[in-house]
Structure formats: C-alpha cells, structure tokens
Amino acid sequence: TEKRVKELQEDLLSSVSERLTHYAHRFGMLNLNSAQLRGNGQLPLTKGGKQTSYSHCTDGEKLRLKVAAVLALISVAEARGVGRHPGLLMLDSPGAQEVAQSDLDALISGLEEVSGEFKHLQLFIASLSSPAVTKHVAKERTRYSAGEDPLW
C-alpha cells in the first residue's frame, strides 16, 4: 500500500510542481526555474539557476508561491478528477507582503489572467486601494469604503 501511495503521490506532486512554477511565472517570479512540492510540505526551489527553498524567499515571493501552490493544486485536482475545492480563495492585504509595487501589480494582473481558467472560483482580495488593484479589478467588481464609513 505504501508503495502504491508513494507512486501516486509522486506523480501528482510532479504535476502540481509544474503548475506551481507556471503560475509563479505568471505572478512575476520570472527568475524561478523550478519548484518541487514534496509530500512533507517542503518546497525546494531553483531561482536564477541556484538551489534555494521557500524559507529563503522574501515575504512577497512567499505570498506569490502560496497563491501559485493553491491554484496548482486546484488545477491538477480538477484535471484528474480528484478532490474538491469549495471555490473560494481569499487574499487579505497582499500589499502588506509585497515591498515593490511592481511585484504587487504582477500578482494582481496574474490573478486577473488566471481567473478565466477557473470558472467556479471566486476570488476576494481585501486590500487598501492601490494602482495594482484599480488597474486589474473591474470597477463593478469592487466594494470600498471611504473615511470612517463601514464597508458592509
């Protein structure tokens, strides 16, 4: 049983790792050569040709890798008909992790692009207003408050 589980797990994690790298590229991590999600949750990476790991990434890179990993898991599960995802993904204050505005823009624009791949997925981004959000999220899809006014 252990051998069969390990074979299936390796195959699934290989597919997830490929998709994770693909999504990370779409989120602006262009120097990421590869990511290898392991069964124990470790994530060795190759960035710019050098071996590293998730724990050595910046907070902004970690955020983009987390989002990429979730989307990769959902994508592979749907393609193979295994597992279910409730269809809700929430990002709370992505600008707090991204130091550079261009990195935040890459994440939000990447999410805008991939949203069409997941027809059932609802994505909520709780954020201060920023050019990245206003540029990539349609006005009719935003809810905001001003001053002391509550949002809901």
Side-chain angles (χ1 to χ4, degrees), residues 67 87-91 111-112 114-115 121-125:
V67 175
L88 178 64
L89 184 59
M90 298 186 81
L91 284 169
L111 287 168
E112 178 186 29
V114 301
S115 66
L121 188 65
Q122 294 183 69
L123 174 61
F124 287 81
I125 301 172

Side-chain angles (χ1 to χ4, degrees), residues 71-135:
L71 293 176
L73 287 164
I74 294 169
S75 175
V76 170
E78 286 182 358
R80 298 201 180 190
V82 295
R84 292 190 202 181
H85 187 272
L88 178 64
L89 184 59
M90 298 186 81
L91 284 169
D92 186 15
S93 304
Q97 284 79 30
E98 295 290 5
V99 177
Q101 187 66 30
S102 62
D103 290 341
L104 179 61
D105 189 76
L107 173 63
I108 303 299
S109 69
L111 287 168
E112 178 186 29
E113 289 175 18
V114 301
S115 66
E117 296 175 23
F118 299 93
K119 300 296 182 201
H120 69 284
L121 188 65
Q122 294 183 69
L123 174 61
F124 287 81
I125 301 172
S127 174
L128 293 174
S129 182
S130 73
V133 174
T134 56
K135 182 166 115 180

Side-chain angles (χ1 to χ4, degrees), residues 3-4 9-10 31 35-36 53 55 63-64 67 87 101 107 110 117 124:
K3 181 182 174 187
R4 291 178 72 193
Q9 182 183 45
E10 286 177 5
N31 67 339
Q36 181 186 10
S53 67
S55 62
L63 172 65
R64 287 180 274 160
V67 175
Q101 187 66 30
L107 173 63
E117 296 175 23
F124 287 81

Side-chain angles (χ1 to χ4, degrees), residues 1-92:
T1 303
E2 184 177 324
K3 181 182 174 187
R4 291 178 72 193
V5 167
K6 188 168 179 87
E7 288 173 2
L8 178 61
Q9 182 183 45
E10 286 177 5
D11 181 46
L12 285 170
L13 289 177
S14 176
S15 295
V16 168
S17 296
E18 288 175 23
R19 297 299 300 164
L20 190 159
T21 303
H22 168 77
Y23 287 124
H25 285 165
R26 292 177 80 176
F27 299 152
M29 293 187 69
L30 302 178
N31 67 339
L32 180 68
N33 303 107
S34 67
Q36 181 186 10
L37 183 60
R38 294 188 178 153
N40 62 1
Q42 290 182 336
L43 185 62
L45 307 168
T46 304
K47 284 176 35 181
K50 295 183 180 181
Q51 297 294 316
T52 187
S53 67
Y54 173 85
S55 62
H56 290 100
C57 291
T58 66
D59 287 345
E61 290 173 327
K62 287 179 180 179
L63 172 65
R64 287 180 274 160
L65 287 167
K66 287 176 193 176
V67 175
V70 169
L71 293 176
L73 287 164
I74 294 169
S75 175
V76 170
E78 286 182 358
R80 298 201 180 190
V82 295
R84 292 190 202 181
H85 187 272
L88 178 64
L89 184 59
M90 298 186 81
L91 284 169
D92 186 15

